[in-house]
Amino acid sequence: MQQYVTRGGNPLVGEVEIGGAKNAALAILAAAVMSDEPVLIENVPDVRDVSVLLDAMKRIGAHVERIDRHTYKIDGADIHTLSVDYEFISKIRASYYLLGALLGKYKQAQVAFPGGCDIGSRPIDLHLKGFRLLGANVEIEHGLIKAEADELKGSQIYLDKVSVGATINIMLAASMAGGKTTIENAAKEPHVVDVANFLNSMGANIKGAGTDVIRINGVESLHASEYSIIPDQIEAGTFMFAAAATKGDIMVKNVIPKHLEAISSKLVEMGCEVEEFDDAVRVVCSKELKSTQVTTLAYPGFPTDMQPQITTVLGIAQGTSIVTESIFENRYRYVDELSRMGASIKVEGNTAIIYGVEKYTGAHVSSPDLRAGAALVIAGLCADGVTIIDDIYYIQRGYEDFEIKLRSLGAAIEITDSEKEIQKFILKTG
Ligand code: EPZ
């Protein structure tokens, strides 16, 4: 079993290049099967969730050609199966985007009901509400969601809760429905806008993405396109907070600084300097970190996907901080792991009260999920001594070459496969 092993203490210094946004890529790749012509997609991150989705797409008959590590040509002309197996849905929830994509294109699709997840209950009622309002008959039988319609008709859809997944899934189906659809209280995340831009590049007619009302005029078919995915705001934010934790000085390149505003503001409140360039941000943290208060919110609020990282860094800031998680109810499972490293954090419901400690100390911990895993790596990079992190496959779901990028910034981190390799790392870095 692979593990990360880190020795803390090295400030991160240098430049790091951010890859394409995982959560945009998952929706855009699924959407690509809606065209019967080849679609070229660039800046696809090489992460595990993307590979699983591509396998699911191949299984239903999509042609997937890897042009290079980050570029794929997808052709959905020969899709022969409108059913996505449980095997894929259980590995990655986002394969449910194939439901919206196939329903839009073929007016029929079925996917396994997404199972339990690691960050709290994750219902999909709003996705299904949207499909039903578009005229689909949606049934849940024997663990499968079956959606079909003689024809899809544009509709007015109000989302009772802001949901990235529901906004995107409904946008996919509605792009090829007859007439006009309005999605109200839509999610405004950068990747929602990216998916809309991509669909428009294939001939869809979507307006208003990035605001809370999205208007879609359905079209009959979607055509060939070439598209490059936006940079990953969460990967960028993770490196920015790793710089803060280690009192570093890094230039985070290939980003859209506007997408990072909530993250940058919190770093500034904590005493770091953040300088914005056209497509880069520099983060310098030389002073003692200060406490602050954070509530996770839908974009443009502070992202829930950065909550474990900021909590971890606040754990070594002066004073008491309060973090409120308003999106997912079970996103503090890493706090017990962090406590083994000396953190003093009390979780009450969706609030974490963080009493800053002077430093973390290395320990053997395990990642409970993707972002929490990345947060534990950050803790390991600033801890005294050696930290071993188990279950790193979660981290590999969403971060490409995480340890390689961190090493290029001066971190002492390696992937190890055995006790012998861990001992070798300890000797080498000791
Ligand atoms: C997306 O999940 C991301 N995943 C998550 O990233 C991210 O944490 C989340 O958005 C919030 O930004 C992908 O894009 C693949 P939601 P999603 O629907 O779409 C409730 C990561 O680490 N809700 O915006 O599943 C839901 O319970 C991952 O990269 C309903 O009630 O999130 C939650 O409280 C983890 N009914 C809120 O809405 C529904 O039908 C927001 O969830 C759908 C959602």
Side-chain angles (χ1 to χ4, degrees):
M1 190 188 58
Q2 289 195 326
Q3 296 162 310
Y4 276 139
V5 53
T6 67
R7 185 184 288 279
N10 298 358
L12 298 190
V13 177
E15 294 183 352
V16 63
E17 192 85 28
I18 298 307
K22 172 193 73 119
N23 290 342
L26 294 171
I28 286 174
L29 289 167
V33 306
M34 296 177 74
S35 170
D36 280 339
E37 294 174 6
V39 174
L40 190 81
I41 304 169
E42 295 168 342
N43 207 27
V44 179
D46 186 9
V47 294
R48 197 159 288 174
D49 274 8
V50 163
S51 323
V52 174
L53 177 66
L54 290 171
D55 285 345
M57 287 162 52
K58 285 182 207 159
R59 185 75 72 88
I60 61 170
H63 295 287
V64 176
E65 187 187 343
R66 190 178 202 247
I67 308 291
D68 63 38
R69 189 173 181 197
H70 299 121
T71 310
Y72 286 87
K73 195 187 269 182
I74 311 287
D75 191 333
D78 294 325
I79 301 279
H80 48 66
T81 309
L82 301 181
S83 173
V84 183
D85 290 349
Y86 177 73
E87 179 196 339
F88 297 105
I89 282 282
S90 63
K91 283 195 201 145
I92 155 197
R93 287 176 65 85
S95 40
Y96 61 34
Y97 285 139
L98 289 169
L99 188 60
L102 296 175
L103 179 65
K105 184 177 180 191
Y106 298 104
K107 316 301 168 218
Q108 193 189 330
Q110 77 180 40
V111 306
F113 197 92
C117 192
D118 40 17
I119 54 175
S121 150
R122 296 180 74 181
I124 57 158
D125 54 310
L126 298 172
H127 303 231
L128 306 188
K129 170 183 170 176
F131 297 149
R132 288 189 175 115
L133 284 169
L134 290 174
N137 180 29
V138 183
E139 309 261 358
I140 298 171
E141 275 173 10
H142 308 295
L144 289 176
I145 305 167
K146 298 180 179 175
E148 58 184 321
D150 292 334
E151 57 171 334
L152 291 178
K153 283 197 191 128
S155 175
Q156 188 166 351
I157 300 166
Y158 172 79
L159 297 181
D160 306 81
K161 202 167 176 185
V162 177
S163 159
V164 172
T167 303
I168 292 178
N169 230 343
I170 295 167
M171 211 160 64
L172 297 178
S175 302
M176 293 184 78
K180 288 184 186 168
T181 296
T182 311
I183 307 176
E184 288 170 0
N185 199 26
K188 296 182 277 205
E189 267 67 5
H191 42 291
V192 172
V193 179
D194 209 32
V195 179
N197 288 343
F198 169 65
L199 286 164
N200 285 343
S201 80
M202 292 199 294
N205 183 346
I206 302 174
K207 296 199 173 88
T211 74
D212 47 22
V213 182
I214 299 180
R215 294 176 206 285
I216 303 159
N217 264 311
V219 296
E220 273 190 10
S221 64
L222 296 171
H223 54 66
S225 167
E226 291 187 7
Y227 195 80
S228 181
I229 291 171
I230 53 164
D232 197 306
Q233 89 190 105
I234 306 300
E235 187 194 10
T238 302
F239 280 99
M240 291 164 77
F241 272 87
T246 60
K247 300 257 160 56
D249 176 351
I250 66 169
M251 184 71 93
V252 185
K253 296 173 78 175
N254 184 34
V255 296
I256 299 173
K258 171 101 190 110
H259 295 168
L260 299 170
E261 273 172 0
I263 295 167
S264 302
S265 317
K266 285 294 153 193
L267 283 169
V268 171
E269 280 175 31
M270 290 165 69
C272 301
E273 289 161 53
V274 180
E275 199 179 346
E276 288 185 3
F277 299 88
D278 285 350
D279 61 354
V281 288
R282 181 177 172 198
V283 180
V284 185
C285 298
S286 49
K287 301 189 208 116
E288 278 302 307
L289 295 168
K290 292 186 283 195
S291 58
T292 189
Q293 312 219 339
V294 194
T295 300
T296 62
L297 288 169
Y299 189 84
F302 190 87
T304 171
D305 291 348
M306 283 299 300
Q307 182 264 102
Q309 300 89 316
I310 192 170
T311 303
T312 298
V313 180
L314 288 172
I316 50 161
Q318 277 178 334
T320 304
S321 302
I322 295 182
V323 172
T324 306
E325 170 57 63
S326 81
I327 312 286
F328 293 113
E329 78 264 24
N330 194 13
R331 223 169 179 178
Y332 286 122
R333 289 196 307 146
Y334 63 92
V335 166
D336 286 347
E337 302 300 300
L338 218 48
S339 301
R340 291 172 199 270
M341 300 180 70
S344 175
I345 302 176
K346 202 162 124 200
V347 175
E348 282 176 2
N350 67 347
T351 302
I353 304 158
I354 304 153
Y355 306 98
V357 295
E358 204 179 302
K359 58 176 180 350
Y360 292 132
T361 49
H364 193 149
V365 294
S366 134
S367 340
D369 63 69
L370 163 59
R371 307 300 172 187
L376 291 170
V377 170
I378 294 179
L381 296 179
C382 62
D384 253 7
V386 172
T387 298
I388 297 165
I389 299 150
D390 288 344
D391 295 336
I392 65 167
Y393 54 85
Y394 283 118
I395 304 173
Q396 293 164 335
R397 290 179 65 162
Y399 291 89
E400 177 180 319
D401 292 344
F402 196 36
E403 71 290 353
I404 298 176
K405 291 184 182 184
L406 287 168
R407 262 203 309 272
S408 76
L409 296 169
I413 178 166
E414 255 168 46
I415 289 193
T416 54
D417 232 336
S418 64
E419 186 52 37
K420 204 168 143 198
E421 285 178 19
I422 294 175
Q423 291 309 325
K424 220 166 110 190
F425 174 86
I426 293 174
L427 276 176
K428 194 171 82 182
T429 57

